């Protein structure tokens, strides 16, 4: 719920709408008819997201099964060509399709991509770089003048267009979701970004941006003290820019900061700031109890969820309910069946 007079809409409820590489949903759309079903997307994140599966290679008419493609050329601007027949070049078709999809996914809160794919890979996709000349340090059969391959890394052709169209969109590769910290960060960002989008035209208002930031600042502090300070300076003295420039600078900073991994120390720092915001409404016993819990959390003796529960219990004693609207207390809904990513 939003406070009376608030410019900020209530936070979004799950399920949020997400794009996903179709093979991760268990559809047999890979070049050989297989799939790469992600149990994490289905089970670990169950209830949080509603997925729209997209397979760019099938969408451009390559069919199943199909001859595989690979990235070749300059890793910064690779081409997607046939592995066996290099005259097959689907780069432009994939890029055009990516731009068409990007233009219609304004309601997506994020995107889960299949790692390693020349179409869907977010980064670190193998790019085969053709080289002519002496192969220094290569086996003897690689004679001077012979053609050989060096391998670089780049982004999939389709993925590159999706990310370029909206750099703030939370995007993650499925394999990275196996890391609990990355998983929590991704979910947190999707809910923050969906909330920001709910602001609609209010995003043009400095007052609305300030109020939005007041809800997210401790969450941001836990992820990036540098971005917390930078946005604090930006909003303390907002530049006279128009056409959504301030909103754009703000959300880029917020999403960039939230993409950094929070550590136990950075969480402890955010918690200390939160407790300070409760003062002077706290009595000394409450302050001591919270401080000790935070220190125990920083030492790894107490889970963060326990400190947050304690904070929630004490927030009623804070001035003007200052802490109660803090997203940091609940960055995203608890997972079904009582599971929690904290
Ligand atoms: S990685 Fe992308 S292009 Fe390849 S099968 Fe999956 S959805 Fe299709």
């Amino acid at each position: 719920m939003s406070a009376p007079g608030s410019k900020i809409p209530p936070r979004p409820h799950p399920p949020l709408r997400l794009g996903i590489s179709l093979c991760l949903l268990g559809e047999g759309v890979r070049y050989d008819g297989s799939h790469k079903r992600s149990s994490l997307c289905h089970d670990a994140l169950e209830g949080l997201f509603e997925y729209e599966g997209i397979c760019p290679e099938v969408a451009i008419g390559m069919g199943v099964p199909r001859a595989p493609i690979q990235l070749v050329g300059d890793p910064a601007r690779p081409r997607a060509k046939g592995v066996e027949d290099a005259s097959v070049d689907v780069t432009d078709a994939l890029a055009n399709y990516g731009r068409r999809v990007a233009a219609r996914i304004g309601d997506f809160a994020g995107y889960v991509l299949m790692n390693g794919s020349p179409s869907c890979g977010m980064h670190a996709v193998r790019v085969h770089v053709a080289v002519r000349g002496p192969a220094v340090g290569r086996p003897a059969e690689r004679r001077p003048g012979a053609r050989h391959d060096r391998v670089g890394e780049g982004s999939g052709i389709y993925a590159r267009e999706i990310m370029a169209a909206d750099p703030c969109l939370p995007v993650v590769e499925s394999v990275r979701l196996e890391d609990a910290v990355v998983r929590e960060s991704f979910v947190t960002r999707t809910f923050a970004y969906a909330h920001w989008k709910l602001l609609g035209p209010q995003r043009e208002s400095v007052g609305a941006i300030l109020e939005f930031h007041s809800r997210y600042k401790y969450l941001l502090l836990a992820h990036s003290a540098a971005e917390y300070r930078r946005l604090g300076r930006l909003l303390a003295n907002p530049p006279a820019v128009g056409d959504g420039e301030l909103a754009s600078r703000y959300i880029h900073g917020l999403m960039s900061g939230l993409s950094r991994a929070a550590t136990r120390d950075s969480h402890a720092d955010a918690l200390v700031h939160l407790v300070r915001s409760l003062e002077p409404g706290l009595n000394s016993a409450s302050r001591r109890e919270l401080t000790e819990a935070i220190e125990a959390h920083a030492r790894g003796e107490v889970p963060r969820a326990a400190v947050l529960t304690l904070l929630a219990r004490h927030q009623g004693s804070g001035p003007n309910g200052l802490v109660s609207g803090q997203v940091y207390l609940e960055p995203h809904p608890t997972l079904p069946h009582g599971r929690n990513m904290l």
Side-chain angles (χ1 to χ4, degrees), residues 203-274:
R203 286 177 285 190
E204 302 293 314
S205 151
V206 176
I209 296 173
L210 284 170
E211 191 184 340
F212 190 86
H213 183 61
S214 73
R215 307 273 186 93
Y216 281 82
K217 62 183 180 181
Y218 296 116
L219 179 66
L220 176 60
L221 176 59
H223 286 266
S224 170
E227 205 59 60
Y228 168 85
R229 285 193 294 271
R230 203 182 68 75
L231 287 188
R233 284 194 299 272
L234 176 73
L235 297 180
N237 194 9
V241 288
D243 298 331
E245 176 66 19
L246 181 65
S248 172
R249 283 194 210 172
Y250 174 72
I251 193 61
H252 273 79
L254 180 67
M255 298 312 292
S256 161
L258 293 182
S259 68
R260 311 271 157 75
T263 64
R264 233 176 14 229
D265 282 346
S266 66
H267 276 302
D269 194 25
L271 287 163
V272 166
H273 278 74
L274 256 172

Side-chain angles (χ1 to χ4, degrees), residues 305 332 334-336 338-342:
H332 44 72
T334 303
L335 290 169
R339 288 175 290 128
N340 199 314
M341 282 179 285
L342 296 182

